[in-house]
Amino acid sequence: VSVSLFQAKSCICHMCGAHLNRLHSCLYCVFFGCFTKKHIHEHAKTKRHNLAIDLLYGGIYCFMCQDYIYDKDMEQIAKEEQRKAWKLQAFTPTVVSHYQCTMTGIGEKYSTWEPTKRELELLRHNPKRRKITTNCTIGLRGLINLGNTCFMNCIVQALTHTPLLRDFFLSDRHKCEMQSPSSCLVCEMSTLFQEFYSGHRSPHIPYRLLHLVWTHARHLAGYEQQDAHEFLIAALDVLHRHCKGDDNGKKANNPNHCNCIIDQIFTGGLQSDVTCQVCHGVSTTIDPFWDISLDLPGSSTPFWPLSPGSDGSVVNGESHVSGTTTLTDCLRRFTRPEHLGSSAKIKCSGCHSYQESTKQLTMKKLPIVACFHLKRFEHSAKLRRKITTYVSFPLELDMTPFMASSKESRMNGQYQQPTDSLNNDNKYSLFAVVNHQGTLESGHYTSFIRQHKDQWFKCDDAIITKASIKDVLDSEGYLLFYHKQFLEYE
């Protein structure tokens, strides 16, 4: 390759003399030809020289396959030569033009496109440019059910409508570091976002995604119905592992200490305070979480307390009907102090002996996207059933009462309204809801997703229909997705 490339004195097409038009070099002899005008094709056909290299990007083209081919060794050679060329450009005192780069075989370093100020100005003044209006349906696309894969389809709909995740993939931010990009789940998610926002109306067939899920999360393999919550956690875990190369192991300010896009968006920190009942010493640990699983009334776990607003008042934006359980109720129960009892004594570092204690969970750090899992499926030695208790959840949620910093405003397990309710960092908006219809043994998953601020759609595999806010809030609710308000886009 190197011999045929560097023996040449000038990189111009030997047939027409042009230096652009995607110039390729024959790998059998010293011949340069235009790819656009098919001069390199004519040479390959005449001489039966079936391999050529793209001089701009280093890709190998096979004229028998009629496509670019991937070879690990050739890819490494191309990267090394390009690295040398870019380093050479950096130390060149004069500006290296596109023409000079092509003439010397330097190649062009890939970079994502960003509009210039002039381009932005032209776009603003162009009345024919495509605008996303309130009636726009771009981003809405059904998914074919490949055999009990509704559990996957509803999670894909929620992820593809996560604002910051959408912005990440549509701006081409993922740089794959895996040896085989075809096995990278992040690359496949990038393709999915392109498919969803391409404007195509026909349902998408996510067979490659299903194959990758089966490959990397083998406990989900097969055509049996799976749990959507389990799929969400498995998908986030694989995405996290596959995109760790994006940050080269950089530490980040989140409990997982990872700078990948998954941890930036979904990872929060859960604080656990264990208080000794003898010396009142407190032991604190902070653990990362991607979601919060909440117990429901009707389960074998005792549920306490009911909402103080059960008389018909409004708490955290939730309208209470007498006796109705709310998401706030579930969060209050989750963050209430719990006496561990004599059968679960913990060794106190202050007393240096095993003592009874209380444990309380609070939110130390909130994620950008908060996912709440309502534990509707109960599995125990004696019982396997689905809990259908209706839980009221709000369009807007304030997590301030459940923060570790607000702990002192909660006395004797009873919530007190904080005086400072202006903390927008803790306020969220609902943007997706996953529902399950049917029984534990036989059921079906659907989802509601928010397209614009007040426009909701129901996604039932390949069928997408308009939904009202009432439809969303009246639904049973299994997984609830909230996005931080101050980071949202209209």
Side-chain angles (χ1 to χ4, degrees):
V1 177
S2 300
V3 172
S4 67
L5 186 58
F6 294 109
Q7 275 183 349
K9 293 182 180 179
S10 61
C11 293
I12 59 173
C13 177
H14 287 187
M15 296 186 74
C16 68
H19 63 274
L20 295 175
N21 296 326
R22 291 179 61 196
L23 205 61
H24 283 57
S25 169
C26 176
L27 292 183
Y28 294 82
C29 65
V30 182
F31 181 89
F32 297 88
C34 298
F35 193 90
T36 307
K37 295 182 178 180
K38 296 191 179 297
H39 292 153
I40 190 69
H41 297 70
E42 293 174 27
H43 172 80
K45 186 176 181 180
T46 305
K47 300 289 186 179
R48 294 187 178 179
H49 293 175
N50 290 318
L51 292 175
I53 184 169
D54 180 345
L55 292 185
L56 197 58
Y57 297 109
I60 306 296
Y61 190 88
C62 173
F63 289 95
M64 293 184 72
C65 301
Q66 295 185 0
D67 199 359
Y68 288 94
I69 58 174
Y70 175 81
D71 179 84
K72 187 178 178 181
D73 295 332
M74 293 300 300
E75 186 79 6
Q76 191 59 40
I77 292 170
K79 283 184 179 179
E80 287 298 323
E81 293 300 326
Q82 285 177 335
R83 195 174 291 114
K84 291 176 188 176
W86 297 330
K87 197 175 289 185
L88 178 66
Q89 287 188 55
F91 290 103
T92 304
T94 57
V95 177
V96 182
S97 67
H98 183 278
Y99 173 82
Q100 289 171 314
C101 288
T102 310
M103 292 289 284
T104 55
I106 285 176
E108 187 171 279
K109 189 172 183 178
Y110 172 78
S111 60
T112 54
W113 173 78
E114 290 185 9
T116 63
K117 288 183 178 179
R118 174 62 178 158
E119 287 170 335
L120 286 171
E121 187 180 337
L122 290 170
L123 285 170
R124 289 193 191 99
H125 288 87
N126 181 8
K128 294 183 180 179
R129 70 188 179 97
R130 189 173 187 178
K131 299 177 182 178
I132 295 181
T133 63
T134 54
N135 295 322
C136 182
T137 57
I138 191 167
L140 293 173
R141 195 168 184 188
L143 291 165
I144 296 294
N145 191 317
L146 299 173
N148 284 328
T149 57
C150 56
F151 71 93
M152 176 181 75
N153 290 348
C154 65
I155 298 300
V156 169
Q157 292 288 0
L159 293 179
T160 51
H161 288 87
T162 302
L164 287 184
L165 201 61
R166 173 197 64 203
D167 293 349
F168 174 84
F169 282 111
L170 293 185
S171 59
D172 203 16
R173 295 281 298 281
H174 173 57
K175 310 275 190 304
C176 187
E177 303 267 342
M178 293 185 68
Q179 289 186 346
S180 176
S182 62
S183 64
C184 175
L185 188 63
V186 192
C187 289
E188 179 55 27
M189 279 301 295
S190 182
T191 302
L192 264 178
F193 273 88
Q194 292 171 30
E195 288 287 348
F196 266 71
Y197 290 90
S198 64
H200 295 308
R201 294 176 178 269
S202 59
H204 178 64
I205 308 173
Y207 65 94
R208 288 176 57 190
L209 177 68
L210 183 64
H211 170 72
L212 286 175
V213 169
W214 285 2
T215 302
H216 297 292
R218 293 191 178 276
H219 63 289
L220 295 175
Y223 288 102
E224 296 83 12
Q225 179 64 270
Q226 304 289 350
D227 180 28
H229 173 247
E230 192 174 359
F231 175 81
L232 170 67
I233 299 304
L236 292 179
D237 178 58
V238 177
L239 287 167
H240 158 74
R241 285 189 276 122
H242 285 192
C243 69
K244 284 179 76 171
D246 285 354
D247 61 353
N248 296 316
K250 291 177 184 174
K251 297 295 182 183
N253 185 28
N254 64 56
N256 251 357
H257 302 296
C258 176
N259 203 36
C260 77
I261 189 62
I262 299 302
D263 280 298
Q264 287 185 52
I265 294 176
F266 293 95
T267 299
L270 190 65
Q271 179 169 314
S272 173
D273 294 320
V274 177
T275 306
C276 175
Q277 295 297 284
V278 177
C279 70
H280 300 291
V282 180
S283 173
T284 299
T285 56
I286 298 172
D287 296 307
F289 69 87
W290 279 332
D291 74 315
I292 296 293
S293 293
L294 301 171
D295 288 316
L296 301 179
S299 68
S300 56
T301 306
F303 193 87
W304 175 93
L306 287 177
S307 166
S310 57
D311 57 354
S313 63
V314 175
V315 176
N316 211 350
E318 297 165 320
S319 296
H320 292 264
V321 178
S322 181
T324 300
T325 304
T326 69
L327 179 61
T328 301
D329 290 333
C330 299
L331 285 167
R332 288 174 59 231
R333 185 193 184 282
F334 182 79
T335 56
R336 84 189 194 278
E338 179 185 2
H339 184 67
L340 297 180
S342 57
S343 61
K345 290 183 178 180
I346 295 175
K347 189 171 184 179
C348 174
S349 57
C351 299
H352 302 289
S353 61
Y354 286 91
Q355 303 290 353
E356 290 190 24
S357 57
T358 60
K359 179 181 179 181
Q360 185 172 13
L361 299 174
T362 50
M363 309 293 167
K364 178 64 176 176
K365 181 178 174 59
L366 290 172
I368 291 173
V369 167
C371 175
F372 300 106
H373 165 225
L374 305 184
K375 294 162 73 172
R376 295 200 174 277
F377 304 124
E378 190 169 42
H379 302 270
S380 64
K382 297 180 179 179
L383 201 61
R384 289 184 75 253
R385 60 174 180 149
K386 180 185 174 184
I387 300 166
T388 58
T389 305
Y390 173 69
V391 176
S392 170
F393 50 90
L395 283 173
E396 296 183 350
L397 176 68
D398 187 357
M399 289 294 290
T400 303
F402 314 109
M403 298 295 293
S405 57
S406 301
K407 190 176 174 182
E408 55 273 12
S409 71
R410 204 178 294 111
M411 300 171 62
N412 300 321
Q414 296 299 315
Y415 166 64
Q416 291 185 338
Q417 183 71 32
T419 55
D420 179 18
S421 59
L422 300 176
N423 189 355
N424 290 324
D425 285 0
N426 301 335
K427 292 183 178 178
Y428 287 82
S429 293
L430 185 72
F431 74 92
V433 177
V434 170
N435 285 292
H436 178 270
Q437 291 89 40
T439 63
L440 191 66
E441 291 75 22
S442 175
H444 179 61
Y445 287 101
T446 59
S447 59
F448 288 106
I449 57 94
R450 191 189 64 182
Q451 174 73 349
H452 301 291
K453 186 169 179 62
D454 294 317
Q455 292 210 21
W456 287 84
F457 291 86
K458 182 179 181 180
C459 304
D460 186 351
D461 289 330
I463 302 170
I464 296 182
T465 53
K466 191 86 188 302
S468 68
I469 292 176
K470 187 178 185 300
D471 294 333
V472 178
L473 297 183
D474 285 349
S475 66
E476 192 175 79
Y478 179 51
L479 299 173
L480 311 175
F481 294 84
Y482 285 85
H483 198 284
K484 276 198 174 181
Q485 285 184 1
F486 75 96
L487 285 173
E488 278 196 304
Y489 305 110
E490 294 298 327

